[in-house]
Amino acid sequence: MSVISLDNPRDSAERVVSELLRVPPAADELGRVFAAHGHLLHLVGGSVRDALLGRPTTGATGAGGAPADLDFATDARPERVLEITRGWAEATWEAGIAFGTVGLARRGLRFEITTYRSEAYDRQSRNPQVTYGDSLEADLSRRDFTVNAMAVSVPGHDFVDLFGGMADLARGVLRTPASPAASFDDDPLRILRAARFEATLGLTPVPELVEAMRARTERLAIVSPERIRDELRKLLLAADPVAGLERLVEIGVADIVLPEVAAMRMEIDEHHQHKDVYAHTLTVLRQAIALEEPGAPDEVLRWAALLHDIGKPRTRRHIPGGRVSFHHHEVVGRDMTRRRLAALHFPKDVTDAICRLVYLHLRFHGYGEGEWTDAAVRRYVHDAGPQLTRLHKLVRSDCTTRNRRKAAALSRTYDSLEERIADLAAREEIAAIRPELSGDDIMALLGLAPSRLVGQARAHMLEFRFECGLVGREAAEAELFRWAREHEVPIPDA
């Protein structure tokens, strides 16, 4: 992490301003609009923090090339913000107006302007109670962490750091502007956010912050699943998600938001015949990240790596000789994964992809020394579907043995499987295997209306495709008629 030196505070401030001058001119234009109407406008939050860290200033592009937000604080109320920016903004959105936030767009950039505010949860509510403030100082004091409680005026670029955020960045520590207890009582989600900043920026929470996190884990019960989900997704996409996850497990937060992960901390048996599943999982996650394309974190792969063994605690059985088995943990783990992601309101497509990987992560271990038939290889590709590339990475990451000879042998064996997949793909279409006869073909050939029988016939033809590959239309029809006779399905006269 590149942080500016504090040896010369004046030089540091000048360098901050220099970095912030890279903010798009539209931000200064917006500041002049507010000033002309008698209001103050300050750039706050991540843009200021990232300038100090030497990271690219937000506002250029976000994930996937989409424009990212520039966050501002103002003394103007939301209705006033809409009024004074009418004609300047090319688009506006009011989804957050109940929380004091107005969104604007201009020249491909997005701006979020939030009225000075304070917000706190009551003991029963899932939503913050928002009240407006009257000063920038009060607004900054109720922000989550000192590193996010700095501001720069626009267009003047006066730097405001009332709580030592710049010094905390230089020391690599995470603190709150107010007392940690008060901060987490105001918004318990900040407990998760602290772990995310540890994972994202490498900032270590100070001891009093950690103790407040630990003491208030139960407060997360009032936070909506969607907000918890969003923080966890950001944490998994961080530079070092393991650091954040270890913090959540250590302080007991994982027991609430990801109990299946915390449950993997199983005792190693006295003969050391199986690994600590939790430590193994974190290693798998690190190794999966190492296989990602540079600069392209893969959320589905990371979640699959984290959750692939969550079925082990429930399936652990002690067997003679001091050994331990986890039979069918991939099936149990898939179902547990689906329930957990559903509870967090994950999108269905993301959930389906992760569950497929969890379910299939053990399939390769039946490959042995390459004894699989071509039919088995086709099934492997078919069952993986669009997740095949991720499955390759997950399986390779799942090898955490310290025995170099064993690790090398497993790697060579998987190389062999990938080579066989490539060889089959060169000879036939296996990326999206389908029967050579469609459902319409089957109905026409057998004179059937849409029915369960058509589905059974198609399932048989898919199995035939797995076993025999591409055989041509004539041979496929002959197999369909053979199946029909075997199942006493009348065959129309040719």
Side-chain angles (χ1 to χ4, degrees):
M1 182 173 62
S2 175
V3 182
I4 63 173
S5 168
L6 296 182
D7 293 340
N8 186 334
R10 179 179 179 82
D11 176 64
S12 296
E14 288 174 355
R15 291 177 62 189
V16 170
V17 173
S18 175
E19 288 286 348
L20 289 172
L21 285 174
R22 300 179 186 180
V23 171
D28 282 340
E29 287 181 25
L30 183 58
R32 285 190 284 271
V33 169
F34 274 71
H37 289 83
H39 291 286
L40 301 173
L41 189 68
H42 284 79
L43 190 64
V44 294
S47 298
V48 182
R49 180 197 69 230
D50 289 345
L52 284 162
L53 291 173
R55 295 155 61 97
T57 304
T58 48
T61 57
D69 293 340
L70 287 169
D71 296 321
F72 297 87
T74 182
D75 58 340
R77 297 295 192 259
E79 296 76 12
R80 180 64 171 157
V81 171
L82 288 170
E83 178 184 344
I84 65 180
T85 58
R86 188 174 297 118
W88 182 87
E90 296 168 353
T92 61
W93 58 95
E94 303 177 25
I97 200 165
F99 303 103
T101 299
V102 172
L104 309 174
R106 181 177 171 87
R107 297 177 186 170
L109 298 175
R110 301 188 310 196
F111 307 82
E112 287 203 349
I113 298 108
T114 301
T115 303
Y116 298 157
R117 66 185 184 183
S118 62
E119 62 182 27
Y121 280 86
D122 63 36
R123 291 288 169 176
Q124 308 300 323
S125 175
R126 285 182 177 269
N127 297 309
Q129 307 293 320
V130 175
T131 57
Y132 295 129
D134 296 315
S135 70
L136 176 66
E137 293 77 9
D139 182 81
L140 296 177
S141 73
R142 43 94 15 213
R143 290 182 176 267
D144 52 4
F145 305 109
T146 60
V147 297
N148 291 331
M150 298 175 285
V152 173
S153 66
V154 287
H157 295 179
D158 294 324
F159 179 54
V160 181
D161 180 15
L162 304 175
F163 303 99
M166 184 165 62
D168 287 345
L169 280 179
R171 296 199 306 269
V173 300
L174 197 64
R175 293 189 305 114
T176 53
S179 72
S183 182
F184 294 144
D185 281 343
D186 279 349
D187 186 353
L189 189 70
R190 291 173 177 175
I191 298 170
L192 287 179
R193 200 171 292 151
R196 172 163 66 89
F197 276 95
E198 187 168 8
T200 304
L201 301 175
L203 300 175
T204 303
V206 295
E208 56 269 28
L209 185 63
V210 174
E211 287 310 307
M213 293 166 70
R214 192 191 314 275
R216 282 162 175 75
T217 56
E218 297 298 330
R219 290 277 285 147
L220 284 165
I222 70 168
V223 180
S224 70
E226 292 83 1
R227 296 185 76 213
I228 290 174
R229 172 202 65 203
D230 291 347
E231 279 301 320
L232 290 175
R233 294 184 75 176
K234 291 174 184 176
L235 189 156
L236 256 290
L237 288 172
D240 183 15
V242 170
L245 290 166
E246 287 184 311
R247 181 69 67 184
L248 295 182
V249 170
E250 172 206 344
I251 63 177
V253 170
D255 293 328
I256 296 173
V257 300
L258 287 174
E260 299 84 357
V261 172
M264 287 191 289
R265 292 178 298 171
M266 303 181 343
E267 293 181 2
I268 302 176
D269 65 276
E270 61 186 71
H271 301 289
H272 297 271
Q273 293 295 314
H274 74 275
K275 299 170 184 165
D276 179 335
V277 180
Y278 172 68
H280 163 75
T281 293
L282 297 184
T283 299
V284 172
L285 177 55
R286 289 190 186 97
Q287 293 183 166
I289 291 171
L291 294 178
E292 293 174 343
E293 295 298 322
D298 188 333
E299 181 185 13
V300 169
L301 176 63
R302 293 185 181 199
W303 276 105
L306 177 65
L307 301 176
H308 77 285
D309 273 350
I310 62 172
K312 279 190 170 180
R314 291 191 183 179
T315 59
R316 181 173 62 169
R317 298 291 182 272
H318 293 277
I319 56 181
R323 293 178 298 162
V324 176
S325 70
F326 303 99
H327 292 314
H328 305 302
H329 78 266
E330 74 281 11
V331 178
V332 173
R334 175 198 59 192
D335 296 342
M336 292 172 64
T337 294
R338 189 171 296 281
R339 288 193 293 272
R340 174 51 49 201
L341 298 183
L344 290 169
H345 297 187
F346 264 64
K348 183 179 184 302
D349 59 335
V350 177
T351 297
D352 288 345
I354 296 168
C355 288
R356 182 179 298 206
L357 291 169
V358 171
Y359 175 61
L360 292 174
H361 81 274
L362 277 187
R363 180 80 64 85
F364 158 72
H365 293 282
Y367 188 70
E369 296 297 324
E371 297 93 347
W372 277 6
T373 62
D374 284 352
V377 175
R378 292 186 187 102
R379 285 191 182 89
Y380 189 76
V381 175
H382 174 269
D383 291 351
Q387 304 308 319
L388 181 62
T389 299
R390 287 186 173 116
L391 183 58
H392 291 333
K393 294 177 180 178
L394 178 60
V395 172
R396 290 184 181 277
S397 301
D398 197 24
C399 175
T400 60
T401 178
R402 295 181 181 179
N403 184 320
R404 293 185 180 181
R405 182 176 299 177
K406 182 178 179 181
L410 284 169
S411 180
R412 286 193 302 270
T413 304
Y414 204 84
D415 288 343
S416 169
L417 176 57
E418 288 201 69
E419 288 166 5
R420 289 189 62 188
I421 291 171
D423 179 62
L424 272 174
R427 291 187 275 121
E428 60 184 79
E429 174 56 57
I430 63 169
I433 293 178
R434 297 180 179 86
E436 289 189 75
L437 300 179
S438 69
D440 288 340
D441 292 333
I442 291 169
M443 288 188 288
L445 289 166
L446 298 182
L448 297 174
S451 63
R452 180 178 298 178
L453 192 60
V454 175
Q456 292 171 350
R458 189 182 185 282
H460 171 76
M461 295 307 298
L462 178 59
E463 284 297 314
F464 181 71
R465 171 76 169 81
F466 286 143
E467 292 293 336
C468 301
L470 293 173
V471 297
R473 175 83 181 198
E474 184 177 348
E477 289 184 3
E479 175 60 24
L480 175 65
F481 292 143
R482 187 201 65 76
W483 175 88
R485 287 191 294 270
E486 181 180 311
H487 290 78
E488 300 181 350
V489 177
I491 302 173
D493 293 334

